[in-house]
Amino acid sequence: MVAATILSSLALRWRYAGEALQARWIALLDVTGDDPMRLWVYGTTIIIFFVYWIYAALFTIMDITNRPKFLRKYKIQPGQNEPVDLGRLWKAVKVVAFNLTVVNFFTTWLLYEVSLRHNNITDIRQLPSFGRIIRDFVIFVIMEETMFYYVHRLMHHRSVYKYVHKKHHEWTAPVAAMTLYAHPIEHVVANLLPVGISVSLLGTHVVVAWGIISLAVINSMSDHTGYSFPWSGGSVRFHDYHHAKFNYNYGVTGWLDKLHGTYRATHEQNKPQAKSKASKSKRKTK
């Protein structure tokens, strides 16, 4: 009886939340208009731009000022970018700004013309159910991880790496602002297409796509901050290790790395350093 009452209450709250979100969405469309091209192309580009720079600003202030001091202990590679070199950072910011504006806009427009306008504009004023949102999110994670892993490994092939992916790996100790510091070809093929193709094949609603893409951007940026907080996911140290060692940990979740033998536990990052310290100690003893 009690369980039935709780479930009924949760279902009611769930329905009210959905109705409230639907009302807010309609109100927004009454202001902006419901032209699908404007929402998908301009809306997506603008949202990614602001999500990226707001999140990057928080960590950039930390990287420039080395404050607050109590957070320095969470640096994954102590002594690296403490503080960050401003000239090097500015170089990265200019590349990222180009990718976030010009490259994002034209790639999103092309995706819209080729696929999104055919698969993702049905009842754009009607938000999907929570069940559909969860379904899209779960399948997106699997699809995007699969595409990103194999494209990322391709980027490390000797015939591609020095021409394209090497630019991103100039930062062996990454910072948040350089997350999308990459050759435009890499940004399109490795960053944008896995997301765009996944969203298109799923027929995801534009609002859900904005939410999923924003989470993907924040997750990728968290992996590049250079900090591992108590609440950070395992992928933070996992990807930082990739920047330090290059040929391991190509994915995000790690399951494809384990399947293909490219997985390395993050504690191995300290092994060479520990060995080096031991050898120095022996020399001193002699």
Side-chain angles (χ1 to χ4, degrees), residues 55-56 59 62-63 74-76 81 173-179 218-229 232 236 239-240:
Y55 197 64
F59 287 94
M62 291 168 58
D63 292 328
Y74 297 115
K75 280 284 290 182
I76 300 173
N81 300 315
V175 296
M178 59 70 54
T179 302
I218 290 171
N219 182 68
S220 182
M221 295 183 73
S222 297
D223 291 348
H224 287 85
T225 59
Y227 294 87
S228 181
F229 303 111
S232 297
V236 176
H239 190 73
D240 195 272

Side-chain angles (χ1 to χ4, degrees), residues 84-97 171 181:
V84 66
D85 181 270
L86 292 180
R88 193 175 178 219
L89 179 65
W90 178 238
K91 176 188 173 185
V93 165
K94 288 187 288 185
V95 172
V96 171
W171 290 77
Y181 176 71

